[in-house]
Amino acid sequence: MAAANPWDRAAEPNAAGLLLDRFVASGLVTQEMLNISKKSASCFVNFSRLQQMTNIQAEIYQKNLEIELLRLEKDAADVIHPSFLAQKCNALQNMNNHLEAVLKEKRSLRQRLLKPMCQENLPIEAVYHRYMVHLLELAVTFIERLENHLETIRNIPHLDENLKKMSKALAKMDILVTETEELAENILKWQEQQKEVSSCIPKILAEENYLHKHDAIMPSLPFTSKVHIQTVNAK
């Protein structure tokens, strides 16, 4: 509890209050001056606000630190959380038991691996049957494409030589294409010439028929006259 102000006239009467009453009665001090002196200084108000801000900043820093710790705990939960650690311990224990069983049956397993596995059935649990079907499909596909893959691997050292051969083959193909185009043009020209010749054949045949008829009409004319007529017809 704060101590009473000895200069406060409203408090219990004391020597300081009586002295102030005398000063007010004599006019040395006014009531307004006493009221101003009662007000708290602004510097003390700022000090209290600064203290409040410092306390709030410290609280914010503490909350941020707690949030960062929670984030670290979340990121490392799979390492430090007891439930995750228990799962990992169980997995390691199962693996350890499996390895112990393998070591115990090492001799029998070695003998079994030395024997050929032809025409033998391997026991597989029903849970893994669908995976085995998929695995067999992949194995068959791999075996079918194995020869192609091996051939591709064998051809890798000769890749540059094969590319050169392909470039030469493409150049020859370009030459053949050019020659084929020229041959096609020559064939088209020959076809046009054949059409012209075909169109001229009926005229030639008609002229020959006409000459034969004319010769049959005048068989008695002398040879010179016949030659002259043929010459005129030819013109």
Side-chain angles (χ1 to χ4, degrees), residues 6-26:
W7 300 99
D8 190 2
R9 296 172 60 199
E12 294 181 358
N14 52 20
L18 295 174
L19 182 61
L20 288 174
D21 288 337
R22 288 180 182 178
F23 286 160
V24 171
S26 62

Side-chain angles (χ1 to χ4, degrees), residues 127-142:
V127 181
Y128 304 108
H129 283 182
R130 58 176 181 174
Y131 301 110
M132 287 304 300
V133 171
H134 182 60
L135 182 61
L136 288 174
E137 290 178 356
L138 293 176
V140 170
T141 305
F142 176 76

Side-chain angles (χ1 to χ4, degrees), residues 99-115:
L99 291 175
E100 287 180 357
V102 170
L103 290 175
K104 287 179 181 179
E105 302 294 334
K106 180 174 66 174
R107 182 175 297 177
S108 61
L109 288 172
R110 183 179 295 174
Q111 292 177 357
R112 186 175 178 182
L113 290 172
L114 291 174
K115 292 192 304 182

Side-chain angles (χ1 to χ4, degrees), residues 9 36 44 53 68 70-71 129 138 142 156 162 176 202:
R9 296 172 60 199
I36 292 172
F44 295 104
M53 291 173 63
E68 189 66 26
L70 290 174
R71 287 178 179 173
H129 283 182
L138 293 176
F142 176 76
I156 287 175
N162 292 333
L176 290 174

